[in-house]
Amino acid sequence: MGGLSHKLSRAGLFLLLLTGPILGLATKGFAPLLAIAGTFAFVGLALQGERGKTLDWKAFWPFAPFFIFAAASTLWSSSVGVFQSFGILVSVLVFTVSLWLAFTKLSENEQDLFRSRLSVSVIIGIGLSIIIGSYSQFFPQLDPILKNLSNQTTLGNIELVRQGNRSLSLMPIFLFLAGGFYWQKSRLFFIFLFIVAFYISANSNSQTALLGLMIGLTLFALAWIIRKNRRHIFLAAFAFGLLISPFAFIASFENSWVENYAPTIVKQKASGSIRQWLYFTYAEEALKRPVFGHGFKASQYYTPSDVNRYLTLSIERRAGRYGRDEEKGLKFPHAHNLPLQIIFEFGYFGTLFFYLVFGVYPVFPSSANKSRFNSRRLARRSGF
């Protein structure tokens, strides 16, 4: 039984090596990949018997208050299928923890080998995304061909060939993760990759990729300038920005900050006016229920009670024809902004729990994790 559990856990980990090809070629493929890989790892962990019970659950207790609050917020959420969505979130957490435990059971040499292979897979995926994303610019005749091929060649709901816009959307996440891990060893390579990725995204139709790269490059530059306590400074800045985001976005819309101060590329390529109006809408709605918020995933299917006022403002400010659907009637867009989404769905009460989990806890770990934290800090100081 021990041999079978070990094989299943390893199979789950090695399935993750498909991350790169999926990033480059398969739309909507990450969720199925995580589900399959996590299931293998979870079953392998369950078959370990007594050894599977040795997990130090105390290491996870700081996460409990936020997830308890998130679960409770499903009761007042207006989202369609909110309980199913929360169940999916729980499944993702179980799969992720199972894969992490499977990784920790590998030997040090096996862990190093897995890291190297996963890094190669991700970098290949980044390259594929940039290549496919460049079609609309350098080979525009290929874009409709790929779109038709993508619609015709599917595996379930997984499109096996990605369009340029979708291929670039997730690329910045993996690019900056890889760049952060290997910046000291391969600085010139990643500088070249950043330049190419930014150029392709700036000349593509992917607003998500362009904004992601602009924000990521700004943070990279700040991290290079700020040499001491950068993690504490960034987390403090994130907390401050998170808490004031509704007020900042209201002021932005009322004082036309995008029109007056935003770079031209944001106005033209990233739909700055549309986003400014959308952020204003969710900021005002968030402040109508500032304590407990509108509930888990409420920003996905939300229609304000005075929606016509917001639509009128969008027309007056020429933000775009958002919020209308000729066939389905009124349809309001998603917030498209993580800080606003957190405030809107969980209110300031839930937001404090969120920040304690994802902000304070990683910087000030519990005593159960201090030795592990200190060893990582020593390794960083040693240049590893």
Side-chain angles (χ1 to χ4, degrees):
M1 188 67 71
L4 177 60
S5 66
H6 182 67
K7 290 179 181 178
L8 287 173
S9 298
R10 288 173 62 90
L13 282 176
F14 284 108
L15 280 171
L16 292 182
L17 298 180
L18 295 174
T19 297
I22 285 178
L23 170 64
L25 299 173
T27 303
K28 300 180 181 178
F30 286 104
L33 175 65
L34 179 62
I36 296 171
T39 300
F40 273 94
F42 178 77
V43 173
L45 181 67
L47 290 176
Q48 290 179 11
E50 292 299 322
R51 288 182 296 173
K53 299 178 182 179
T54 60
L55 175 63
D56 182 13
W57 294 104
K58 293 181 180 179
F60 298 96
W61 73 262
F63 297 87
F66 172 72
F67 286 107
I68 291 173
F69 179 86
S73 73
T74 60
L75 300 176
W76 61 81
S77 174
S78 60
S79 173
V80 177
V82 62
F83 298 109
Q84 179 183 358
S85 298
F86 190 79
I88 293 173
L89 173 63
V90 173
S91 299
V92 169
L93 294 174
V94 171
F95 292 152
T96 303
V97 171
S98 298
L99 288 165
W100 173 69
L101 291 173
F103 176 77
T104 60
K105 293 183 179 298
L106 297 177
S107 66
E108 291 187 6
N109 291 334
E110 289 176 324
Q111 289 181 2
D112 291 339
L113 182 60
F114 178 78
R115 289 192 191 99
S116 299
R117 290 175 174 175
L118 184 60
S119 300
V120 171
S121 173
V122 168
I123 292 173
I124 290 174
I126 292 170
L128 288 172
S129 296
I130 293 174
I131 292 171
I132 296 176
S134 68
Y135 284 172
S136 59
Q137 179 183 354
F138 297 108
F139 307 101
Q141 65 276 14
L142 288 178
D143 212 32
I145 297 175
L146 279 178
K147 184 175 181 179
N148 292 332
L149 181 61
S150 178
N151 291 333
Q152 296 169 7
T153 310
T154 61
L155 179 63
N157 68 338
I158 304 174
E159 300 171 12
L160 297 182
V161 179
R162 305 186 70 159
Q163 297 95 315
N165 182 43
R166 293 182 177 179
S167 185
L168 288 172
S169 297
L170 294 177
M171 179 268 297
I173 298 174
F174 292 89
L175 176 59
F176 287 110
L177 282 173
F181 277 117
Y182 295 103
W183 181 252
Q184 298 296 333
K185 296 180 179 180
S186 308
R187 183 175 302 178
L188 292 178
F189 172 74
F190 280 101
I191 289 176
F192 170 76
L193 211 55
F194 289 154
I195 294 173
V196 172
F198 183 82
Y199 177 80
I200 296 300
S201 298
N203 289 278
S204 72
N205 295 321
S206 179
Q207 300 175 5
T208 303
L210 175 61
L211 290 172
L213 282 166
M214 292 181 70
I215 294 172
L217 290 172
T218 301
L219 292 176
F220 249 70
L222 289 174
W224 182 77
I225 295 171
I226 302 172
R227 299 305 178 98
K228 294 183 179 180
N229 299 318
R230 66 183 67 165
R231 179 178 294 187
H232 297 77
I233 293 172
F234 280 4
L235 288 172
F238 172 75
F240 179 73
L242 176 63
L243 296 176
I244 70 165
S245 59
F247 307 99
F249 288 121
I250 290 174
S252 172
F253 183 82
E254 292 178 342
N255 296 286
S256 303
W257 289 356
V258 168
E259 292 82 356
N260 295 330
Y261 307 112
T264 302
I265 192 172
V266 173
K267 298 177 186 178
Q268 296 179 351
K269 291 286 187 178
S271 300
S273 297
I274 294 177
R275 291 176 183 272
Q276 182 179 234
W277 164 77
L278 189 59
Y279 300 163
F280 166 78
T281 301
Y282 275 95
E284 281 206 335
E285 293 299 307
L287 293 178
K288 291 181 180 179
R289 300 189 65 176
V291 180
F292 298 110
H294 292 262
F296 180 76
K297 209 183 178 183
S299 61
Q300 292 281 353
Y301 303 97
Y302 181 74
T303 301
S305 57
D306 53 347
V307 64
N308 288 327
R309 168 176 169 262
Y310 294 119
L311 295 177
T312 301
L313 285 174
S314 72
I315 295 172
E316 291 176 353
R317 293 288 292 271
R318 299 179 181 179
R321 194 170 178 270
Y322 259 80
R324 297 188 184 278
D325 189 301
E326 295 179 357
E327 296 181 358
K328 300 179 182 179
L330 189 62
K331 183 180 179 181
F332 209 72
H334 180 258
H336 288 75
N337 185 292
L338 180 59
L340 271 182
Q341 181 179 346
I342 295 170
I343 296 286
F344 179 86
E345 294 186 3
F346 302 119
Y348 279 94
F349 189 71
T351 298
L352 291 176
F353 283 140
F354 175 88
Y355 185 70
L356 287 174
V357 171
F358 298 101
V360 176
Y361 177 63
V363 178
F364 303 103
S366 63
S367 58
N369 293 324
K370 279 186 177 179
S371 60
R372 198 164 41 198
F373 174 78
N374 290 332
S375 64
R376 289 199 301 267
R377 183 172 58 181
L378 179 61
R380 286 198 298 269
R381 289 180 176 178
S382 302
F384 292 95

